[in-house]
Amino acid sequence: MPHLNPRLTRRQTRTAGAALAAACLALTAACSGADGAASGKGKIVEDAGPPQDGGILHTAATADAPSLDIQKEASYMTHVAVGSVYSRLVAPKTGKDIAYGSSDLEGDLAEKWSKSKDLKTWTFNLRQGVTFHDKPPVNGRELTSADVKCTVDRIKSLPGHQLGLVANVAELQTPDPYTVVFTLTSANTAFDQTMANPFMAILPCEGTKGEFNLAEDAIGTGPFMLKSWKRDQERVLEKNPDYFVEGLPHLDGIQTTVLPDAQAQIAALRSGKLDMISSLSTEKRQVDQMLKQIDGLQLRTEKGITQTRVFMNAEKGPFSKLEVRRAVAHAIDKEGMIKALRSGGTLTGPITPTLFGAMPQDEVDELLEYDPEKAKELLAEAGYPDGFSAELVATDGYGETILREAQWVQEDLAKIGIDLTIDQQDYATYVSSTWPETKYDIMYGLQTPMLTADEYLTSEYTSTGTRNWSKVNDPKLDEMVAAQRVLTDDAEREKALQDIERYIMENVSTPLPLYAYDTQTLYSGKVHDYFPHPDYSTRELQDVWMEQE
């Protein structure tokens, strides 16, 4: 596998970033020295008139989906690839007047839902007349409650993150074609939030029974239909003419080209071959340059929700010692990383700062304080006064900024005696094998956003968690996480969640969140009504429209 230069310094890292920006400049005429954003460029057109139907939205991806099976793949790339093909029972609201990352829900396949007083029975009433895409072997038949049961039954039969979402479901009943009743083993105050998770997309029974290959095809009830998929090249979605939301979608389709190279994405955006690119593949300085160079380019910046992470194997090796993991937490200059490589961000614990249950920011900042001397003391307490060597796994699948952040971590840890060599892996290996099978001692990467504090805690930090890929095993923590799930008083539950987060940061420290970075999306001046949500289902694309010539 390719390796990054294990001795790349921070100065070289910054120089490399500048080189990328210079490459971007080489694609265009010289530009002024004023900052693009500061000069008013990048402003979103708030009122472009009534939506127009038609047009193909051209986007890019830094890596392709390892497969299209949303239940077998935890990968962000899979859900982004086919999220808009599917629908869920309920979904987060999006729109001009809805805050980014809002947890407010609206019916998707369900027109209404209710819960019992003891919070153990949840009933969802389905819309009537919703049909699947007109593709064999489903052939546009009507969705019924049987499809919901087929979906949940398949989830329960598979290992993976989504299993934890329905682990509390004791029974699922379908008394008629349009009613679904979930009976839970214990009270759950936010089971509807669980059903809004993108992993809970409803599949047709034909797919769950193997009548077509879910890894290579996707048939749902969503606003777009999968027309074609050329692995590692492109994905083409087309408008669902029978979508159950009247008047949507506006676009005729979406074409996504796989372009791992940031410079190639920049060139394609400038030439008009792409209509939209995300900050996953571009650094802040590149964004600023493009705003100055491309007339009408719009910039949407959203408060940080996606977490950057250091994952450490708590089961073996030097990182199995808590003192070593806490040393790592204090050795990394997180604020410096944000200023140099991101458009903004906020230090974060296991619960993203915008979510209910997150600790007060000053406490998070203190527990993640940049203090190399304290880090050295902790290493000495762990029995490593002279440090040690290890391999840091990272992937190029998230774009070049992530690799530069990994190099930053490498240099900061070298200052306290931890000598890291970076193992740069392809995305498929990283996400399908290395990460879920814990084939690492230390790793740097992202954690795609989760919708609730409980999802973060239950899946990643409990001993039986479906994404416990750092080998956490803390019986006290298991008890704390289980106890908060049944609390119905908001104030009491918020305190319990904050106590858990504090306990994790002080006594577990893996996965170790560093910061939630602000996201930036650049898109053409002819693209309108793009109101994203961090649940990465891409359902919001149903509202996007493009000016027609």
Side-chain angles (χ1 to χ4, degrees):
M1 294 179 183
H3 287 67
L4 296 179
N5 181 352
R7 296 295 182 187
L8 195 62
T9 67
R10 182 169 302 162
R11 182 175 180 180
Q12 289 172 312
T13 298
R14 290 172 174 165
T15 301
L20 274 175
C24 170
L25 281 170
L27 298 170
T28 66
C31 53
S32 67
D35 179 82
S39 63
K41 291 183 178 292
K43 185 177 180 180
I44 295 172
V45 179
E46 296 289 353
D47 186 7
Q52 300 174 27
D53 290 341
I56 305 295
L57 181 71
H58 292 84
T59 67
T62 55
D64 203 358
S67 102
L68 302 184
D69 192 333
I70 59 171
Q71 292 182 346
K72 285 189 175 181
E73 289 291 344
S75 169
Y76 159 88
M77 297 298 181
T78 293
H79 289 265
V80 168
V82 294
S84 61
V85 170
Y86 294 106
S87 308
R88 293 156 281 176
L89 293 177
V90 293
K93 290 182 179 180
T94 59
K96 182 179 179 180
D97 299 320
I98 306 298
Y100 179 72
S102 170
S103 59
D104 291 344
L105 301 180
E106 64 184 0
D108 199 6
L109 292 175
E111 61 181 1
K112 61 181 180 179
W113 65 101
S114 59
K115 56 191 175 184
S116 61
K117 289 185 178 180
D118 64 1
L119 302 175
K120 290 185 178 182
T121 303
W122 289 73
T123 302
F124 294 83
N125 301 104
L126 303 181
R127 301 176 189 267
Q128 298 186 26
V130 175
T131 58
F132 283 101
H133 300 157
D134 192 5
K135 296 172 59 175
V138 188
N139 299 319
R141 69 165 176 81
E142 186 180 15
L143 171 135
T144 71
S145 57
D147 296 296
V148 179
K149 189 174 191 313
C150 284
T151 298
V152 174
D153 286 348
R154 183 173 188 259
I155 288 175
K156 286 198 165 190
S157 72
L158 297 171
H161 169 65
Q162 71 283 348
L163 181 60
L165 301 175
V166 297
N168 194 29
V169 176
E171 185 180 15
L172 190 158
Q173 296 174 301
T174 55
D176 63 60
Y178 306 109
T179 305
V180 182
V181 181
F182 292 87
T183 302
L184 310 183
T185 57
S186 59
N188 188 333
T189 59
F191 186 70
D192 52 353
Q193 293 285 346
T194 299
M195 291 297 101
N197 191 287
F199 278 92
M200 296 308 301
I202 303 304
L203 308 178
C205 290
E206 291 87 343
T208 66
K209 294 176 181 177
E211 294 179 28
F212 68 93
N213 189 353
L214 287 166
E216 297 180 356
D217 200 1
I219 303 176
T221 56
F224 294 97
M225 303 167 57
L226 179 65
K227 181 178 181 181
S228 64
W229 178 38
K230 297 179 182 178
R231 191 184 294 272
D232 295 324
Q233 296 180 52
E234 70 170 14
R235 300 184 299 269
V236 179
L237 304 180
E238 60 184 352
K239 179 176 184 172
N240 174 12
D242 302 312
Y243 188 44
F244 59 85
V245 180
E246 186 177 357
L248 297 179
H250 298 296
L251 297 170
D252 285 337
I254 303 167
Q255 181 172 324
T256 301
T257 304
V258 179
L259 290 174
D261 182 58
Q263 296 176 59
Q265 290 195 21
I266 292 167
L269 183 68
R270 180 179 179 273
S271 68
K273 292 180 180 179
L274 289 180
D275 300 306
M276 179 182 291
I277 63 175
S278 75
S279 63
L280 203 60
S281 57
T282 49
E283 294 182 7
K284 180 181 183 298
R285 69 189 73 199
Q286 295 172 285
V287 170
D288 292 340
Q289 295 292 352
M290 283 186 284
L291 289 175
K292 290 182 288 186
Q293 297 161 15
I294 304 175
D295 288 340
L297 191 64
Q298 300 178 85
L299 170 65
R300 177 169 291 280
T301 301
E302 304 290 1
K303 191 66 177 174
I305 290 181
T306 300
Q307 296 183 3
T308 62
R309 296 279 192 86
V310 176
F311 303 88
M312 291 169 279
N313 189 333
E315 193 172 62
K316 64 177 184 178
F319 297 101
S320 65
K321 295 191 174 184
L322 176 61
E323 294 86 357
V324 173
R325 301 196 297 271
R326 291 302 300 146
V328 171
H330 289 294
I332 301 170
D333 180 8
K334 295 159 283 290
E335 294 284 3
M337 288 174 69
I338 294 171
K339 291 177 182 177
L341 299 175
R342 296 288 183 179
S343 62
T346 307
L347 301 194
T348 181
I351 302 173
T352 301
T354 56
L355 291 179
F356 174 81
M359 284 170 52
Q361 191 60 48
D362 58 344
E363 290 190 51
V364 174
D365 293 348
E366 183 179 350
L367 288 169
L368 289 176
E369 181 184 14
Y370 176 50
D371 189 343
E373 292 306 313
K374 184 175 183 178
K376 290 177 183 178
E377 293 174 4
L378 287 165
L379 268 190
E381 289 178 22
Y384 297 101
D386 300 318
F388 57 87
S389 299
E391 196 168 67
L392 175 67
V393 173
T395 179
D396 57 2
Y398 294 125
E400 295 172 2
T401 303
I402 298 298
L403 295 179
R404 305 206 183 287
E405 289 174 326
Q407 293 163 351
W408 188 292
V409 169
Q410 177 192 40
E411 183 178 338
D412 277 353
L413 294 190
K415 293 177 181 178
I416 66 167
I418 300 178
D419 186 15
L420 299 177
T421 301
I422 296 181
D423 175 12
Q424 179 183 326
Q425 298 186 355
D426 64 89
Y427 181 71
T429 300
Y430 172 94
V431 78
S432 299
S433 177
T434 303
W435 188 9
E437 296 173 20
T438 322
K439 294 180 179 178
Y440 63 87
D441 289 325
I442 183 171
M443 186 171 76
Y444 184 81
L446 299 179
Q447 174 56 61
T448 46
M450 298 186 191
L451 302 182
T452 65
D454 179 71
E455 187 181 354
Y456 278 114
L457 301 177
T458 302
S459 64
E460 294 191 286
Y461 293 96
T462 63
S463 58
T464 58
T466 50
R467 294 188 77 154
N468 178 17
W469 298 339
S470 294
K471 301 296 185 182
V472 175
N473 187 4
D474 188 315
K476 180 178 177 180
L477 179 57
D478 287 350
E479 293 176 3
M480 294 173 73
V481 173
Q484 62 81 27
R485 300 192 84 182
V486 299
L487 298 177
T488 57
D489 180 80
D490 283 350
E492 185 180 0
R493 186 161 183 258
E494 182 176 38
K495 181 181 183 304
L497 289 169
Q498 291 177 349
D499 288 344
I500 293 169
E501 184 170 28
R502 189 176 298 107
Y503 181 88
I504 290 172
M505 295 183 74
E506 293 176 342
N507 300 284
V508 179
S509 274
T510 186
L512 173 66
L514 301 183
Y515 55 84
Y517 65 85
D518 295 351
T519 61
Q520 292 186 303
T521 303
L522 290 160
Y523 51 100
S524 163
K526 64 183 180 182
V527 176
H528 303 291
D529 288 358
Y530 174 62
F531 303 111
H533 192 281
D535 75 346
Y536 57 91
S537 71
T538 67
R539 177 175 178 260
E540 65 271 7
L541 294 177
Q542 68 182 11
D543 296 308
V544 170
W545 61 277
M546 301 176 69
E547 293 178 18
Q548 303 301 301
E549 296 181 1

